[in-house]
Amino acid sequence: MTNNTRSTRRRLRLPLLSLFLTSVALTSLPAVANAQQAGRIAIDLPAGSVATSLNRLASQSGLQVVFDATLASGRTNARITGSMTVGEALEKLLAGTGLTYRFVAERTVKLEKLSPDAAAATGGDETVLPRVTVAAGGLFNSGAPSVAEINGRQIEAAQSNSLPQLLQKTPGVTATGGVRLQGQSISIRGFTRQSDVRILLDGAPKNFERYDQGTVFVDPELLKRVEILKGATSVRYGNGGFGGTVIMESKTAEDMLLEGKSFGAWVKSGYQSANKQRLGSAAVYGKSDFGGPVTYDGMASVIWRKSDNVRVGGGQVYEASSDKLTSFSANGGLEVDGHELRASVIYGRSSDYGPPAANRGDLDLTASSIARYGYETARLRALALREMEDFSSTLKYAYTGDSDLVNVKAMLSLSSTDLHMTRPTISGYVPSASLGGQEDDAKYTDIKFELENTSYFDLGGFSHAANYGVQYVHHDRDTWMYDIANKNSAQYNYGYYSSWIMPQGKQDTLSAFVRDEIGLTPDFKVTPGLRFDYVRSQGVPNAAPRYNDPAAGHDYSATSHTGVTPALSLRWEATPETTLFADWAYAMRVPVIDELYSSQSASTKASATSRDLEVERNNTINIGLSRQFDGLLSEEDTLKTSVAIFYNHVTNPVTRRFGSANLANITGPVPFYWNTPSYKIYGADFSVNYDSESIFSNIGLAWMNGSRNGAINDVSGPNTYFQDLAPFTGNVQLGYKIPEWDLSISWNGLFVSAQKRTPYNQGTGYFYARPESKGYAVHGISVDWTPKEGSLAGMEMHAAIDNLFDKYYEPYLSDGIAAMPGRNFKLSISRKF
């Protein structure tokens, strides 16, 4: 069958989704056939990553190559050179990758998975399906310097205990919250609020926004890939996420199977010395079509972590910093004729004693408290039993058949995080309601549905990749506490009510978006985008009359916010080695439930709920440049460099209303939260990656600055620094590979400057600000052994020593109250069967 016949059949089988788009696509058929049958041209693709070679081929041939998935992670190719057709070059480049290609427009090539019928078959009735490692990419500036990826190999080598730990070596990303897993959060480019960093697990929302707690509790052992989209310039994601979006993808059978296998198992054991952590993990999985037209796959896994208290640099051991975590996951899918259905369930549970505010350092028991109560009782008074349950489930459908206009994806997810804390019962001890009272619970639940489609077509002489869809999210916050101090007070509902700073409520968000990547030339693409969000918020009246008093301005009725987010992205491949990027958006953030419905009693000035808050806006710009050098020091080495410059101007930022200057001359109740003057954050990320047969190196640098008009506690006062700016940070790795042994060794360095850009010393009474921090340097070494042949094939061993010189240091975003782990020997051994 000729390429022209195949192309015609694809168009003729299109559903009648759009007569207009279909007619446009049909007019391009002769040109598509001509592009596929074009004459020979000079091709020179260097050895290296497949993604890099695809970009080089696009430049040499004038084609555009689009991906719903790419093999950039760990896929390489030999050098391809000579006179050949574009089709011949693609066949050589994709050989053995489990991918194929087809033309979807005159000058546009789309990569796809091979069908089971096209895959190699064994001697039996069962087809051994190709193992394909996929990662999002190809479209909508996904390769820009503001986008970072951590693949499965890197996740295994990092041996991280939490997602914030895993991401902290990414330029512009900082982990916050101390050493306890339940207290760690993520800051991106100076944005530290929980709603400023959107976190998704297989598409399901995972942000936990409870005060003084962490935001995400997913074990990195479950993940095959993490993508970080720094900034808020994509209309695919809206309403918040000013710092960026973190996209986690969980492992499936396809990611775990050994080459040529249909079923397998995996076991892993690990140890870390700083907290004496023991890790155990196991999984079983399989993928087969059982000789029929339908391909099935499934996987089930369990992970167990248990640790003692953490030893920080210099030898101090933090009390009540131990963790116990158990996670279970199961997922499965089926695929037939371009239709794919996939379901997943992930559940995690942790339980241990710790301080009510999990993002703190040591318990810091005072001498007077110990003298008065004795050490053990004083210790118990500072603790709570913290029981955490985290759940995510998704159901996904995707169609990636022969149609160029219809490439539908749909997803339904249910996710929840529940934290229950109980304080010890001690005679004469009455826990403060400000810390949750005797007992409290906070459960956040999200139901999400999204439907989207991507169409590839030619129009007006230009190639188009249009992505459009609708999304609905229902968010529910269920909170309560038992304030034993007021168990006899009717004003406090006899002790049972929601904390005034953690109100109950729900938000319903309905959104629609469209973005169209237009190839104006083979080297220049422009992507306009537009998003609409409608958000309806509804509070739940507090059960305590003290916080449900109309005279104090308490109003829990519904309120709505709407907004449109326009965006524009540009991509110019100036040369085959050099690409420039630019992104702009006027992003929005709707106030969250805590901001809308928190309140105080009538005895305070700022007692009212804040239903009249306006939407925050972020006028944000990213500009980036990436450059690749091939054959720099040897014939097959590669040096990749990138720089990203960003600017954010946030108007109407929402903050609590406090400070004598902000409350002066107020006679009646005013809202607890309000919109304040604007602030700006700007900076740059820089990365260098070098790889050769024996030497590799990675350098990541991040710098940022920013200022606020006025101060949070005095909006009319002098301008101040923005309070959450991470200091200048550099991560450096230098390593050596011994290919014949499948072994690599490396040195790692973390270099952080002192932070003096803080409002802490810019005026009187800026107690809310973070104190200045000292600079520090932390060193580590690692060894990674991954045998690929022989009886040990499928085994991996990763060993490392973090904080080699046992440095005591307190990161700026830890508020000077939490140091980091000291010298930490880490070892993990895993085996696939």
Side-chain angles (χ1 to χ4, degrees):
M1 183 182 294
T2 66
N3 289 333
N4 187 54
T5 303
R6 283 196 301 266
S7 234
T8 303
R9 287 187 62 194
R10 290 167 189 147
R11 268 74 180 178
L12 294 178
R13 294 198 317 229
L14 293 178
L16 297 178
L17 173 69
S18 172
L19 291 175
F20 172 70
L21 291 179
T22 303
S23 64
V24 170
L26 287 171
T27 62
S28 69
L29 283 175
V32 172
N34 291 336
Q36 298 182 70
Q37 303 297 338
R40 295 176 178 272
I41 60 175
I43 298 293
D44 187 6
L45 308 179
S49 73
V50 170
T52 298
S53 294
L54 284 168
N55 289 331
R56 185 71 61 88
L57 178 61
S59 298
Q60 293 175 7
S61 64
L63 294 176
Q64 296 187 51
V65 183
V66 297
F67 314 56
D68 283 332
T70 184
L71 304 179
S73 302
R75 291 290 182 179
T76 59
N77 62 276
R79 186 179 183 185
I80 301 173
T81 183
S83 177
M84 63 191 78
T85 66
V86 172
E88 290 172 340
L90 283 167
E91 293 291 346
K92 291 183 178 181
L93 183 58
L94 299 178
T97 65
L99 292 185
T100 187
Y101 72 93
R102 63 185 175 94
F103 281 77
V104 296
E106 181 180 355
R107 308 298 299 173
T108 304
V109 174
K110 179 184 177 184
L111 298 190
E112 299 175 330
K113 290 183 182 180
L114 280 170
S115 66
D117 291 338
T122 62
D125 294 333
E126 178 184 325
T127 303
V128 179
L129 300 168
R131 179 173 181 264
V132 181
T133 303
V134 297
L139 288 172
F140 309 114
N141 271 8
S142 60
S146 59
V147 180
E149 178 190 345
I150 302 174
N151 59 36
R153 177 182 56 82
Q154 295 166 325
I155 293 172
E156 284 294 314
Q159 302 184 72
S160 300
N161 298 330
S162 67
L163 182 69
Q165 290 179 19
L166 178 64
L167 304 187
Q168 62 184 349
K169 290 186 178 180
T170 305
V173 181
T174 308
T176 72
V179 299
R180 296 176 180 87
L181 298 185
Q182 289 191 10
Q184 296 177 2
S185 299
I186 301 167
S187 173
I188 300 181
R189 291 179 170 178
F191 290 96
T192 305
R193 294 179 304 183
Q194 293 97 324
S195 60
D196 282 334
V197 178
R198 180 184 296 104
I199 302 174
L200 304 173
L201 174 60
D202 294 331
K206 292 307 299 177
N207 289 70
F208 191 59
E209 299 176 6
R210 176 169 171 157
Y211 182 65
D212 275 348
Q213 311 300 325
T215 55
V216 59
F217 313 101
V218 177
D219 198 309
E221 288 290 311
L222 296 167
L223 306 178
K224 69 176 180 183
R225 177 178 174 272
V226 180
E227 185 177 28
I228 306 102
L229 309 179
K230 290 178 277 188
T233 57
S234 173
V235 297
R236 177 65 176 76
Y237 311 99
N239 185 19
F242 283 177
T245 299
V246 177
I247 303 168
M248 300 179 286
E249 296 180 13
S250 62
K251 295 174 182 176
T252 65
E254 192 169 51
D255 307 303
M256 302 297 291
L257 283 169
L258 292 171
E259 203 72 49
K261 298 289 187 179
S262 295
F263 297 92
W266 175 76
V267 292
K268 179 177 180 178
S269 181
Y271 176 79
Q272 297 190 18
S273 64
N275 58 354
K276 300 179 181 178
Q277 176 183 269
R278 283 82 70 197
L279 166 70
S281 182
V284 293
Y285 38 83
K287 180 178 182 179
S288 177
D289 61 6
F290 301 102
V294 182
T295 301
Y296 303 90
D297 72 89
M299 174 175 169
S301 67
V302 59
I303 302 166
W304 174 82
R305 292 181 187 268
K306 184 177 181 181
S307 71
D308 292 341
N309 292 330
V310 178
R311 177 190 176 278
V312 301
Q316 182 183 0
V317 177
Y318 277 2
E319 283 277 0
S321 59
S322 58
D323 288 295
K324 288 187 291 188
L325 174 66
T326 304
S327 300
F328 304 91
S329 73
N331 63 70
L334 59 88
E335 185 175 357
V336 57
D337 293 333
H339 299 272
E340 182 177 3
L341 187 66
R342 175 162 297 279
S344 67
V345 175
I346 295 176
Y347 172 79
R349 177 179 174 83
S350 62
S351 177
D352 214 334
Y353 280 92
N359 57 0
R360 302 299 170 182
D362 203 3
L363 291 182
D364 287 334
L365 303 179
T366 64
S368 60
S369 177
I370 295 174
R372 181 175 180 180
Y373 303 110
Y375 178 81
E376 187 58 29
T377 301
R379 178 179 177 274
L380 289 174
R381 290 168 61 94
L383 296 176
L385 176 61
R386 304 173 53 87
E387 299 172 289
M388 170 79 73
E389 290 186 288
D390 191 78
F391 175 82
S392 297
S393 62
T394 61
L395 179 64
K396 294 183 177 181
Y397 167 79
Y399 175 72
T400 55
D402 292 333
S403 174
D404 301 333
L405 299 182
V406 181
N407 296 273
V408 176
K409 293 181 180 180
M411 187 202 73
L412 177 65
S413 71
L414 170 64
S415 56
S416 65
T417 301
D418 187 356
L419 175 60
H420 187 91
M421 293 198 296
T422 307
R423 307 297 292 274
T425 301
I426 302 172
S427 177
Y429 174 51
V430 181
S432 170
S434 62
L435 295 176
Q438 184 67 43
E439 185 178 6
D440 74 299
D441 189 273
K443 183 175 183 179
Y444 291 8
T445 303
D446 290 280
I447 299 173
K448 179 181 179 181
F449 172 77
E450 62 183 21
L451 175 67
E452 64 177 303
N453 185 54
T454 303
S455 298
Y456 305 95
F457 56 93
D458 285 345
L459 180 64
F462 306 117
S463 65
H464 294 256
N467 175 235
Y468 43 92
V470 294
Q471 300 166 337
Y472 169 75
V473 179
H474 172 78
H475 174 72
D476 183 81
R477 300 192 182 193
D478 184 8
T479 64
W480 62 268
M481 71 173 174
Y482 176 46
D483 177 13
I484 193 172
N486 291 291
K487 64 181 180 180
N488 297 318
S489 172
Q491 276 294 301
Y492 290 91
N493 192 39
Y494 304 100
Y496 288 97
Y497 60 99
S498 295
S499 169
W500 55 94
I501 57 173
M502 291 193 302
Q504 297 187 84
K506 62 182 180 180
Q507 280 189 324
D508 292 284
T509 303
L510 183 62
S511 311
F513 69 91
V514 60
R515 52 183 176 171
D516 184 13
E517 183 175 276
I518 306 170
L520 300 181
T521 72
D523 302 322
F524 186 73
K525 300 177 183 179
V526 57
T527 306
L530 196 66
R531 181 184 180 91
F532 173 77
D533 286 287
Y534 167 79
V535 182
R536 183 181 187 273
S537 306
Q538 172 73 64
V540 175
N542 201 304
R546 181 179 178 86
Y547 302 109
N548 189 12
D549 180 4
H554 302 155
D555 183 354
Y556 297 93
S557 62
T559 184
S560 299
H561 297 83
T562 60
V564 173
T565 299
L568 182 67
S569 297
L570 307 174
R571 176 188 178 120
W572 177 39
E573 295 181 11
T575 71
E577 301 85 10
T578 307
T579 306
L580 288 88
F581 303 82
D583 302 289
W584 166 83
Y586 190 52
M588 62 176 282
R589 174 187 174 272
V590 171
V592 300
I593 292 295
D594 288 356
E595 295 165 339
L596 291 167
Y597 297 109
S598 288
S599 63
Q600 297 188 97
S601 70
S603 62
T604 64
K605 292 183 177 181
S607 60
T609 52
S610 311
R611 294 176 57 261
D612 295 328
L613 286 172
E614 297 180 13
V615 169
E616 293 184 357
R617 284 290 189 173
N618 184 5
N619 194 7
T620 178
I621 299 173
N622 286 320
I623 299 175
L625 169 67
S626 64
R627 169 79 177 177
Q628 177 166 320
F629 304 88
D630 298 311
L632 193 66
L633 301 177
S634 64
E635 183 177 348
E636 296 189 355
D637 70 351
T638 301
L639 177 68
K640 298 178 182 179
T641 63
S642 68
V643 61
I645 301 172
F646 60 91
Y647 176 85
N648 299 278
H649 183 208
V650 178
T651 53
N652 290 331
V654 175
T655 66
R656 287 187 184 180
R657 187 165 188 163
F658 67 95
S660 58
N662 290 337
L663 296 171
N665 303 317
I666 290 177
T667 56
V670 295
F672 190 21
Y673 281 83
W674 63 339
N675 295 104
T676 56
S678 66
Y679 64 83
K680 59 185 178 182
I681 304 175
Y682 52 91
D685 304 332
F686 178 74
S687 65
V688 178
N689 310 102
Y690 176 80
D691 193 24
S692 69
E693 185 178 5
S694 57
I695 297 174
F696 63 96
S697 181
N698 298 286
I699 300 174
L701 307 175
W703 172 86
M704 64 188 72
N705 201 353
S707 63
R708 179 186 294 276
N709 290 331
I712 291 181
N713 63 342
D714 185 2
V715 297
S716 300
N719 292 353
T720 56
Y721 285 117
F722 188 72
Q723 68 269 20
D724 296 327
L725 301 170
F728 176 81
T729 302
N731 277 285
V732 182
Q733 181 186 39
L734 179 62
Y736 183 75
K737 294 184 288 187
I738 307 176
E740 57 269 27
W741 293 353
D742 300 315
L743 182 72
S744 67
I745 57 176
S746 65
W747 161 83
N748 306 274
L750 170 64
F751 304 92
V752 180
S753 69
Q755 180 58 292
K756 299 183 180 298
R757 294 190 299 271
T758 170
Y760 193 76
N761 294 323
Q762 287 187 303
T764 58
Y766 291 172
F767 59 87
Y768 67 89
R770 305 179 190 274
E772 294 182 359
S773 64
K774 298 179 180 179
Y776 52 88
V778 181
H779 304 266
I781 56 174
S782 62
V783 178
D784 301 288
W785 183 40
T786 56
K788 296 180 176 60
E789 297 178 349
S791 60
L792 295 179
M795 189 186 86
E796 292 189 22
M797 187 196 77
H798 303 281
I801 303 177
D802 293 343
N803 197 355
L804 184 62
F805 302 111
D806 204 29
K807 176 77 173 181
Y808 179 89
Y809 64 100
E810 297 176 347
Y812 171 67
L813 294 180
S814 72
D815 296 332
I817 57 176
M820 293 294 103
R823 184 183 298 111
N824 187 19
F825 173 73
K826 303 192 296 187
L827 176 66
S828 68
I829 300 175
S830 64
R831 180 69 187 266
K832 293 180 180 178
F833 301 93

